[in-house]
Amino acid sequence: VHDIVVVSAVPWACYHCIMGNIVVAGPNKAKIISGLRGTRLLVGQCGFALCCCEQSGAVSLEMITLTLNSVDAESARGVKISISAVAQVKLTGVKPDGSVDTAALTLAASHFMDKSQDEIDECIQRTLEGHQRQIIGTLTVEEIYKDRAAFSERVREHVVEDLRALGVTLASYTVTDIGDREGYMDALGATATAVVKREAEEGRARNQAEASKVVATATADADIATAESSKLAHNAKALLMQAMAEADRDLELKKARYAEEVNRAKEKAVAAGLIEKAVQEKEIVRETTEQKVEEARVMLSVTEQHVLQQQKELAGMSEAKLMERKNQAMAVSVEAEAEADRIRQVGKAEADATRFKGEAEAAVLRMRADAYKEFGEAALMQSVVEQLPSIAEAIAKPLCKTDKMVFVSQDGTAGSQLTKDITKIMADLPETVSAVSGLDVKGALQRLTGGGGGTAGVRV
């Protein structure tokens, strides 16, 4: 057996020396294995680091206690004070749920792996003291002195982000001492002592007054207790009488309820008899109604037969009237066609008359045209001269419709002036016609009256 053990242990030792090392991490330490297979973090676990191509390091996850001393730090009003505080910090390795915080642990390892504990403590302490001094500069001495918890909370709020960037968690921060070299804090203490003494005197006076009140209250309570006892006795008697009344009421209610049930049963029996009677009467009415319905159905059948007979008779009469109306319609149609033919004949006759009249007028116009061609200017002149009287009549016609004329004149010549205007229009008429038609109407008139001395062949 010993030979077997020795032989089996040799290969294991050779394998261990050639292949690498087993890395074990306790719950208070983090082991980091990096190299060929990347970076692995171990907390409370074990791993294996390959020889020559991987290495392992460790960082402590134990709690670190730091004392922070800010000496002669200026407050918001320039008063120099000194503050001592205690901070508990640790490298972030495990989340609250117990799982490994890989990101924070990797960040902490990148900052602090292979560094001594003193170097780590100094780095974190400097960060915390800087923030502590910065917060002191934003508050007055009174604010820091009266509310240390608020001061601690502000320091914690400001430092947490920087510590998270280092992979560090702040577990606690407590102010242990506040002091100064100028006696400012002592003056505040004296003021506070005076306030406390004054409050003590006030408290003593209040206590004496309270004692007097207590005595008066006790006396009043005794009187009240006596009255309450009398009241309770009276209430007990009233409750007893009330209970007796309630018992009487319950008895009467039960009697009434029982009587109501008896009456209800009697009424149900009477109602059942009435219902049965109503059912029988309903059956009789139903049978009677069915008999009447049957009689009505027979009467309806007879009536329908009678109606059919009357409809047939009316149908025969309707056919006769329809034939009569058709004959009347045909007569009206024939009369309408005859009237239409008469109208067409009359229209044709009138059209023929109009056509013949137009042909006659056209023949007259052709004859005039031939005469105009034969006689020339003399014939045209004769036509114009023949129309002159009509033109003069048309000019004077508006004056015939005038009932009364009023003339306004300074020299009395208004009436004669109207006559002169009409005469002038008639005198200018031949020249107007000559300008429009190009015919010498004035010369023609002179020839017609013998003033021209020539023969133009114009007939009047």
Side-chain angles (χ1 to χ4, degrees):
V1 176
H2 293 290
D3 294 338
I4 294 174
V5 170
V6 172
V7 172
S8 62
V10 172
W12 169 252
C14 296
Y15 175 81
H16 175 72
C17 295
I18 295 172
M19 297 303 294
N21 297 320
I22 295 175
V23 179
V24 180
N28 62 339
K29 285 189 178 182
K31 293 295 183 72
I32 298 92
I33 301 174
S34 59
L36 179 64
R37 293 178 292 173
T39 301
R40 285 164 293 159
L41 304 175
L42 304 177
V43 178
Q45 297 176 337
C46 65
F48 187 78
L50 296 175
C51 184
C52 300
C53 57
E54 288 184 343
Q55 66 175 358
S56 63
V59 291
S60 176
L61 301 180
E62 294 180 352
M63 190 67 68
I64 303 172
T65 301
L66 300 175
T67 301
L68 309 176
N69 294 316
S70 299
V71 180
D72 292 339
E74 289 189 1
S75 63
R77 295 180 180 177
V79 179
K80 294 182 179 181
I81 61 174
S82 299
I83 293 180
S84 297
V86 176
Q88 301 285 342
V89 298
K90 63 178 296 184
L91 301 185
T92 306
V94 180
K95 296 179 181 179
D97 59 0
S99 61
V100 178
D101 193 343
T102 305
L105 190 55
T106 302
L107 193 60
S110 66
H111 292 306
F112 304 118
M113 194 171 68
D114 295 334
K115 288 187 176 182
S116 64
Q117 189 62 42
D118 292 338
E119 291 176 335
I120 296 173
D121 293 350
E122 183 180 2
C123 178
I124 299 173
Q125 185 175 16
R126 288 181 180 276
T127 301
L128 290 172
E129 286 182 351
H131 280 282
Q132 180 175 271
R133 186 176 290 271
Q134 181 181 1
I135 297 304
I136 292 172
T138 62
L139 299 173
T140 63
V141 177
E142 288 80 359
E143 291 173 342
I144 299 172
Y145 180 77
K146 291 180 180 179
D147 196 350
R148 296 188 181 188
F151 172 75
S152 301
E153 184 63 27
R154 291 195 61 178
V155 173
R156 188 180 294 107
E157 291 175 354
H158 280 74
V159 79
V160 67
E161 291 298 329
D162 286 353
L163 292 181
R164 185 180 292 115
L166 295 174
V168 179
T169 301
L170 178 63
S172 68
Y173 173 86
T174 304
V175 176
T176 58
D177 184 44
I178 301 175
D180 70 303
R181 299 179 182 181
E182 304 296 332
Y184 192 87
M185 299 297 295
D186 294 337
L188 289 177
T191 302
T193 301
V195 170
V196 170
K197 290 182 178 180
R198 183 194 65 196
E199 291 177 352
E201 294 297 331
E202 292 176 355
R204 186 180 296 107
R206 283 196 299 269
N207 290 333
Q208 292 177 355
E210 289 294 332
S212 300
K213 290 181 180 179
V214 169
V215 172
T217 302
T219 304
D221 290 342
D223 296 338
I224 292 172
T226 303
E228 287 290 337
S229 299
S230 301
K231 179 181 178 182
L232 290 175
H234 181 74
N235 290 340
K237 184 178 179 180
L239 290 174
L240 179 60
M241 295 179 65
Q242 181 181 353
M244 294 174 62
E246 289 178 354
D248 295 339
R249 182 198 61 188
D250 294 341
L251 179 61
E252 293 297 330
L253 288 175
K254 288 182 179 180
K255 289 181 179 180
R257 189 161 50 250
Y258 294 152
E260 181 182 356
E261 291 178 358
V262 172
N263 293 332
R264 189 182 299 113
K266 291 180 180 180
E267 292 295 334
K268 285 184 178 180
V270 174
L274 295 175
I275 292 171
E276 183 63 26
K277 182 179 179 182
V279 169
Q280 296 298 329
E281 291 178 353
K282 179 180 178 181
E283 187 68 21
I284 295 171
V285 172
R286 185 177 63 79
E287 293 294 336
T288 304
T289 303
E290 290 181 355
Q291 183 178 359
K292 290 181 179 180
V293 169
E294 186 63 28
E295 292 176 357
R297 188 180 296 111
V298 174
M299 292 297 295
L300 179 62
S301 178
V302 172
T303 304
E304 288 178 351
Q305 296 296 328
H306 183 64
V307 169
L308 290 174
Q309 183 178 358
Q310 290 181 351
Q311 287 179 350
K312 290 180 180 180
E313 293 175 356
L314 291 174
M317 294 175 64
S318 298
E319 289 179 359
K321 290 183 179 179
L322 181 61
M323 292 300 297
E324 181 179 357
R325 291 179 180 176
K326 286 183 178 180
N327 293 332
Q328 292 177 356
M330 291 178 65
V332 172
S333 177
V334 170
E335 291 178 0
E337 289 180 358
E339 181 66 19
D341 186 63
R342 184 185 68 79
I343 292 171
R344 282 196 298 272
Q345 294 298 329
V346 171
K348 183 177 180 182
E350 291 178 352
D352 291 340
T354 302
R355 186 176 66 253
F356 293 151
K357 182 178 180 182
E359 290 176 354
E361 291 177 353
V364 171
L365 291 174
R366 283 196 296 271
M367 293 175 64
R368 286 185 178 180
D370 293 339
Y372 290 156
K373 290 179 181 180
E374 180 178 357
F375 296 106
E377 182 181 354
L380 292 174
M381 189 64 66
Q382 181 178 356
S383 297
V384 173
V385 171
E386 290 176 353
Q387 296 299 325
L388 288 177
S390 299
I391 294 172
E393 183 181 359
I395 292 172
K397 189 174 183 180
L399 296 175
C400 297
K401 298 180 180 181
T402 303
D403 294 334
K404 183 178 180 181
M405 298 179 71
V406 178
F407 297 98
V408 179
S409 176
Q410 296 180 354
D411 54 1
T413 60
S416 60
Q417 185 66 33
L418 177 62
T419 305
K420 292 179 180 179
D421 290 341
I422 295 173
T423 305
K424 185 175 184 303
I425 291 171
M426 294 301 299
D428 293 339
L429 185 60
E431 295 181 359
T432 303
V433 175
S434 298
V436 174
S437 62
L439 299 176
D440 187 6
V441 178
K442 191 174 183 180
L445 290 174
Q446 292 176 355
R447 288 193 294 270
L448 288 173
T449 54
T455 62
V458 178
R459 296 185 300 274
V460 181

